[in-house]
Amino acid sequence: MSAVQLMDFDESTAFLGDYGFFHVLMIVLLSLSAMPCGYMRVIVVFVSDTPEYHCKLSINSTRNGTDVERASSWSEPNSCSRDKVNGNGTETVTRNDTERCVDGWVFSTERYTSTIVSEWDLVCENAWKVPFSTSLYFVGVLIGSFISGHLSDRFGRKPVFFVTMFLQAAIALIQATSISWVMYCILNCMRGASHMSNYTSSIVLGSEMLSKSARVSYTLLGHSMGYGLGYALLPLLAYFIRGWRMLLVASAIPSLLFIPSWWVIPESPRWLLQKGRVEEAERVIRNAAKQNRVPAPEIIFRTEECLELMQKKDEKEQTYTYMDLFRTPNMRNVTILGLFLWVSVAMVFYGLSLNTSNLYGNVYLNCFLSALIDIGAYFTTWLMVNRAPRPTVLFSALMSCGILLLVIQLVPEDMPVMFQVLALVGKMGMSGAYSFIYVIFTELMPTVVRNMGFGIFTTAANIGTIISPYVIYSGVHSKILPYIIFGTISIVAAAVSILLPDTRNNKLPDHISQAKPIRNFSCQKKTPSPQSTETEGCKKEEQ
């Protein structure tokens, strides 16, 4: 094994404390970096919303220039057809005689000055383009997360984090100048490729430089809260900026303002050690000690260990690939369970988030309430994280969401408020689960493949998010069908989650050999003995 035992990293840096100035600064900065991710991923709620519309009269069928006023009287809202008109501009006698909206549509400007729907007439036979453009965003996220995991493990967490932060903003600015729906879709895919890469790399970067106690608080309370606050900021921005182009411009500004923090946020010392760059890692730790105003030991890592790691720089490094996630039984089991859970959780979480515009009431208020519920879920999960086994917390969150979503089908149609309450409270459980899977899988994935692990998990998750707009679109045929689908998926995911090993109070694994086995409920405890409490089968499974 390589020199510095990275499993002792927490012990080697224990002198820094848990919440010194350095730790607090990193938590604050990296949590703030999650705010653009919070609104960028669900900005489609307003950018792609469909205003009320009706057919437009042709010019030669108007009288006295009042076609818009007449249109509202002879065409039902959100209609894809109109009553036929004669060439002289009068309606036909037979009111059941209709024709397609060959002259286009008139869109209401009561809620928005423009969306991509009103700009490019994405209604009726073109309505499929709305969920398709949203799915393309998640296709981009899928591609970006798959590539960025390997790049981050190879070139470092920090470069990938800042490059994707810049790309997220730059592409949004270019997207705001789109001259066609095709251009918008291509840029939407590219913006998605930078989004999840940035979000994941910031979680890994913070988790690897913080202590065990601060790491959990950062992931659940800091980073997730930053994401939730960004989500809550979205309806406020959208309320005052009613045009989709300027909304994209406004969303890009915070990311650009964050770029100067490059000179404040260091590279992950764990990653530097793993790459044999001991001097750089020690420099990061000594700088942290200086900021925390604590004395650093003269030797942070033992001399013989450092010499061996320094030699490693001139030798051929062991290169890890995605196949290492499946090479050993323990890694393979954790990876397969993780793939299913990330697909399920992401599909339901983003499905419920994107569906806020379809709920009863004001779309801005619904989106804001959804964000507040997310923040409440993150805080509740943080309170529970050290009070119960990790799989139990995840199971409870997923099961509560699934039950509440399935109960929705029992709500009478004349009780829309109850329908809305159940949908939003159900989302609270899924929001907690979404934030918590980052905690448990950060603790399950070894350092040598952690970012690749997150890359493949987020890639799988985005298969779910690609599907979620179409699950929502199925609500056109049955309003409760999306909730039945999401509720069923949540309950199945809850059943799978109890197989995960408990990582509470454990150190972060650094090598594949340290991966934990999944829980085997067939293993029965033997008669109490001070030497052994498990069967031989269980022992073999853990080795």
Side-chain angles (χ1 to χ4, degrees):
M1 186 174 295
S2 67
V4 174
Q5 299 294 321
L6 294 183
M7 62 182 178
D8 296 328
F9 178 85
D10 289 335
E11 295 178 8
S12 300
T13 58
F15 66 91
L16 292 175
D18 290 327
Y19 295 100
F21 178 81
F22 171 79
H23 298 100
V24 173
L25 180 62
M26 293 302 104
I27 290 173
V28 171
L29 287 178
L30 291 173
S31 297
L32 288 175
S33 76
M35 290 184 66
C37 296
Y39 56 73
M40 278 288 193
R41 201 165 198 183
V42 289
I43 200 171
V44 66
V45 170
F46 300 101
V47 170
S48 301
D49 199 10
T50 303
E52 286 193 354
Y53 59 91
H54 53 244
C55 288
K56 183 190 295 183
L57 281 176
S58 60
I59 296 176
N60 62 3
S61 63
T62 61
R63 287 187 295 182
N64 301 324
T66 59
D67 59 314
V68 174
E69 289 77 14
R70 291 189 66 249
S72 63
S73 66
W74 55 260
S75 180
E76 294 181 1
N78 301 345
S79 173
C80 294
S81 61
R82 67 183 186 185
D83 295 321
K84 274 191 176 181
V85 293
N86 293 323
N88 58 6
T90 61
E91 299 178 10
T92 57
V93 177
T94 306
R95 302 216 19 115
N96 290 331
D97 194 8
T98 61
E99 63 181 355
R100 293 175 59 250
C101 298
V102 292
D103 299 304
W105 293 265
V106 175
F107 291 88
S108 169
T109 57
E110 181 180 356
R111 181 181 295 173
Y112 310 106
T113 57
S114 67
T115 68
I116 65 167
V117 175
S118 62
E119 182 142 343
W120 294 308
D121 290 345
L122 306 183
V123 292
C124 299
E125 62 269 20
N126 289 321
W128 63 271
K129 293 182 178 181
V130 178
F132 181 78
S133 64
T134 304
S135 290
L136 276 182
Y137 175 86
F138 292 115
V139 168
V141 175
L142 185 151
I143 296 170
S145 60
F146 186 79
I147 296 174
S148 69
H150 181 72
L151 293 177
S152 185
D153 280 335
R154 180 164 185 176
F155 298 108
R157 293 21 174 160
K158 179 178 175 179
V160 173
F161 169 65
F162 279 98
V163 167
T164 54
M165 174 72 74
F166 173 78
L167 287 176
Q168 183 173 240
I171 294 171
L173 290 174
I174 299 172
Q175 191 178 23
T177 67
S178 297
I179 59 175
S180 68
W181 176 76
V182 173
M183 178 180 175
Y184 171 86
C185 286
I186 294 172
L187 291 169
N188 218 30
C189 185
M190 294 173 63
R191 184 165 61 88
S194 63
H195 166 89
M196 182 52 74
S197 307
N198 180 257
Y199 184 78
T200 304
S201 59
S202 64
I203 287 183
V204 174
L205 179 59
S207 297
E208 291 186 347
M209 70 172 63
L210 297 172
S211 66
K212 181 173 62 178
S213 173
R215 182 188 312 132
V216 175
S217 296
Y218 161 69
T219 305
L220 285 178
L221 199 59
H223 200 272
S224 294
M225 283 290 187
Y227 185 94
L229 289 174
Y231 186 11
L233 180 64
L234 174 62
L236 298 179
L237 283 175
Y239 182 80
F240 292 103
I241 305 174
R242 300 298 182 99
W244 70 273
R245 294 182 186 274
M246 287 307 301
L247 185 58
L248 280 173
V249 171
S251 70
I253 294 174
S255 295
L256 294 176
L257 295 177
F258 193 82
I259 299 299
S261 64
W262 168 277
W263 288 274
V264 180
I265 299 175
E267 179 59 271
S268 163
R270 283 180 181 268
W271 180 84
L272 290 171
L273 285 173
Q274 189 61 46
K275 293 297 181 181
R277 294 158 62 175
V278 181
E279 291 181 356
E280 294 176 61
E282 193 161 304
R283 193 179 307 125
V284 171
I285 296 167
R286 292 190 183 282
N287 184 56
K290 182 178 179 181
Q291 294 184 49
N292 286 354
R293 297 184 178 181
V294 296
E298 185 177 346
I299 299 176
I300 298 177
F301 303 108
R302 293 191 292 273
T303 305
E304 63 276 8
E305 296 174 341
C306 291
L307 288 174
E308 187 175 342
L309 272 182
M310 294 299 288
Q311 292 172 359
K312 183 180 178 181
K313 295 168 66 175
D314 300 321
E315 298 172 357
K316 184 178 180 180
E317 287 187 14
Q318 179 179 358
T319 301
Y320 292 91
T321 67
Y322 287 101
M323 291 304 300
D324 289 296
L325 297 172
F326 301 91
R327 201 173 301 281
T328 64
N330 289 346
M331 280 300 304
R332 181 165 57 250
N333 292 336
V334 168
T335 301
I336 291 173
L337 290 179
L339 290 172
F340 177 78
L341 287 171
W342 282 69
V343 168
S344 304
V345 171
M347 180 192 297
V348 179
F349 176 75
Y350 283 104
L352 295 176
S353 297
L354 297 174
N355 197 46
T356 52
S357 60
N358 296 327
L359 292 176
Y360 173 80
N362 185 285
V363 62
Y364 301 102
L365 181 60
N366 287 340
C367 188
F368 185 71
L369 290 175
S370 179
L372 290 184
I373 283 174
D374 282 1
I375 293 173
Y378 303 146
F379 184 75
T380 302
T381 306
W382 174 72
L383 291 177
M384 292 295 298
V385 69
N386 290 321
R387 291 173 170 80
R390 299 285 198 256
T392 302
V393 175
L394 186 57
F395 172 83
S396 302
L398 290 169
M399 185 60 71
S400 63
C401 174
I403 292 174
L404 287 171
L405 294 184
L406 290 180
V407 168
I408 284 178
Q409 62 184 310
L410 304 178
V411 178
E413 292 185 4
D414 59 350
M415 299 179 66
V417 175
M418 178 60 69
F419 188 100
Q420 181 178 9
V421 169
L422 288 174
L424 290 175
V425 176
K427 183 176 182 290
M428 183 175 185
M430 188 52 65
S431 299
Y434 183 77
S435 66
F436 192 70
I437 57 174
Y438 281 92
V439 174
I440 191 168
F441 282 98
T442 294
E443 296 174 343
L444 285 173
M445 285 288 110
T447 299
V448 293
V449 291
R450 183 169 293 120
N451 239 61
M452 275 190 283
F454 270 91
I456 196 171
F457 289 148
T458 52
T459 297
N462 285 289
I463 294 175
T465 54
I466 289 168
I467 299 171
S468 62
Y470 293 98
V471 177
I472 297 170
Y473 191 64
S474 70
V476 173
H477 308 289
S478 173
K479 188 176 182 181
I480 64 171
L481 182 58
Y483 296 101
I484 294 175
I485 296 173
F486 290 146
T488 302
I489 292 172
S490 299
I491 291 176
V492 174
V496 171
S497 68
I498 60 176
L499 297 175
L500 291 174
D502 185 15
T503 56
R504 186 172 46 155
N505 300 323
N506 290 339
K507 298 176 182 177
L508 283 182
D510 288 296
H511 302 284
I512 290 177
S513 60
Q514 297 169 342
K516 293 174 68 69
I518 64 172
R519 301 167 78 184
N520 189 341
F521 294 98
S522 65
C523 290
Q524 302 295 327
K525 291 189 176 182
K526 298 171 68 176
T527 304
S529 165
Q531 307 299 329
S532 175
T533 59
E534 296 182 290
T535 65
E536 290 300 318
C538 291
K539 286 182 179 179
K540 289 179 181 179
E541 181 187 50
E542 292 178 357
Q543 290 176 352

